[in-house]
Amino acid sequence: MRLALPLQAALLTRVLAGSVATGASARPVPPVSVREMRSLVDHYRTVTWTYQRAAHRRRTPTAYVERRSSGRDYLQWSIDTWMRRAELARRTALARIERRIAVHLPAAPHLHARLARRVTYNRRLALSLRRIYPGTVPQSFARASGRSGRETLRLWQKRSALAAVAVAGHVLAAPAVPDWLSEAFRCIHRYEGTWTSNTGNGYYGGLQMDLAFQARYGGEFLDRWGTADNWPVWAQIQAASAAYRAGRGFAPWPSTARACGLL
């Protein structure tokens, strides 16, 4: 047991500081209070539950034992356990989002990567998710930080988890677009124009939708972002898919659909 305490201290230092100093450059690490250890358990539990909500998974139960415990070994074990659970819940939620709307989100660093890398990742993830829904990122949101590196990490971990919930609630609520149909519209897009196309001819976006088409099959997107050249790619594909499911098939794109072998 005498060796356990230094090992636990090293783990805790890595959790809180993001890296472990070695050699002559090592600096003394001030003791972490029991209160802060309990706060870390609560933080990673909240992040876990938030991602589980985004993934539509039952949240992991808890008895909140750490709130009544002062044992550092137990508290450290709780921190490590909820960190692993948070990582698993994040991977599950993001995989669902990537699969449903064919987007690629930032790759995560190792669980115990340096603090700066984890902050950067969670910030990039939160911004990427917000660009999916609601589609905009205010500068004040993007520049936010805490009073320390640790606080900044927790801030962006919470924000990325909440952003995943927003995407799951508003984007994934629509009927799933099968992979083959998504690929069909991406092929049509290659013949139609860029996703941000607005040439002044009354047709917009990568699938050249006119205003009547946008209002009928993508009214929510039209209200939120304006014409289709301002819509995220997934939204343009969902509107086109809604038209397909309504019985119109690929008829709105006769020439380009034929070029893709769809007609």
Side-chain angles (χ1 to χ4, degrees), residues 61-239:
T62 184
Y64 299 102
V65 175
E66 83 286 346
R67 295 182 180 180
R68 304 185 297 275
S69 174
S70 298
R72 289 180 175 272
D73 284 356
Y74 175 77
L75 291 173
Q76 183 60 56
W77 175 85
S78 297
I79 293 169
D80 294 340
T81 299
W82 283 105
M83 282 185 72
R84 289 192 297 270
R85 288 170 176 169
E87 182 182 40
L88 176 59
R90 173 179 50 75
R91 288 202 307 263
T92 302
L94 299 186
R96 182 170 182 264
I97 290 170
E98 289 182 317
R99 183 172 59 252
R100 280 289 301 275
I101 58 175
V103 296
H104 295 288
L105 296 169
H110 187 269
L111 180 63
H112 294 298
R114 289 185 177 274
L115 178 63
R117 287 192 62 196
R118 288 185 285 151
V119 169
T120 298
Y121 165 71
N122 281 277
R123 180 179 179 277
R124 287 183 59 208
L125 176 60
L127 299 186
S128 296
L129 289 167
R130 281 187 63 94
R131 290 187 182 104
I132 296 173
Y133 186 88
T136 57
V137 181
Q139 288 189 356
S140 58
F141 182 93
R143 294 175 178 174
S145 63
R147 292 175 295 182
S148 67
R150 299 199 303 256
E151 286 191 9
T152 301
L153 174 62
R154 294 186 212 179
L155 169 70
W156 285 107
Q157 285 174 330
K158 288 179 181 178
R159 284 186 166 192
S160 59
L162 289 170
V165 170
V167 170
H170 293 84
V171 177
L172 304 189
V177 179
D179 289 344
W180 70 268
L181 187 56
S182 177
E183 287 303 313
F185 283 122
R186 288 177 185 275
C187 179
I188 290 173
H189 140 71
R190 289 195 286 271
Y191 292 97
E192 291 284 348
T194 65
W195 294 110
T196 57
S197 176
N198 179 3
T199 59
N201 62 353
Y203 295 87
Y204 303 85
L207 297 169
Q208 291 291 279
M209 297 179 280
D210 63 21
L211 287 174
F213 187 101
Q214 293 171 51
R216 184 168 184 177
Y217 301 109
E220 177 190 352
F221 309 139
L222 185 62
D223 291 342
R224 176 171 292 278
W225 296 306
T227 51
D229 52 306
N230 297 306
W231 299 3
V233 173
W234 65 265
Q236 296 184 47
I237 290 177
Q238 280 202 352

